[in-house]
Amino acid sequence: MLTRGGYEAILADGGDAAFALLTGDGGAQIAAVVLDLVMPDLDGLGVLAKMRETGLTVPVIVQTAHGGIDNVVTAMRAGAVDFVVKPVGAERLAVSLRKRARQ
């Protein structure tokens, strides 16, 4: 879905791997993150916390199958710029990325 929208998708197997990508050599080139709240090892809120601790300002769009208002509020307070519920529609995600991805 992201590739069809003109984005290059980089996948991570869990929160620790995602954070490593963000802080690695190519991290500065990442325009936005689509982050699941439930992941192996470090969860999405943990990734957001580590991003804030290290000063990373990459826009984060949180996605989850658990779209309760508590999750939304917690993710937004932790630094997410948007929140989508899985399965997210291609157009909804594309709009969010267009609005929020770093150029």
Side-chain angles (χ1 to χ4, degrees):
M1 180 169 49
L2 295 173
T3 304
R4 284 185 305 226
Y7 298 96
E8 177 186 352
I10 303 169
L11 303 177
D13 291 336
D16 287 331
F19 189 73
L21 285 169
L22 288 166
T23 56
D25 291 340
Q29 303 303 318
I30 296 174
V33 175
V34 179
L35 183 68
D36 204 329
L37 287 182
V38 179
M39 297 182 292
D41 51 65
L42 186 63
D43 68 8
L45 292 176
V47 173
L48 283 166
K50 286 181 84 167
M51 289 176 68
R52 187 173 17 188
E53 289 170 10
T54 56
L56 290 174
T57 59
V58 180
V60 176
I61 301 164
V62 168
Q63 69 170 358
T64 186
H66 312 286
I69 191 68
D70 291 342
N71 286 336
V72 174
V73 170
T74 301
M76 299 304 271
R77 284 185 177 161
V81 297
D82 200 1
F83 191 97
V84 296
V85 178
K86 293 190 288 187
V88 61
E91 185 58 31
R92 169 69 175 89
L93 187 56
V95 166
S96 186
L97 284 167
R98 275 195 303 272
K99 287 182 180 179
R100 293 166 178 91
R102 299 189 298 195
Q103 301 300 320

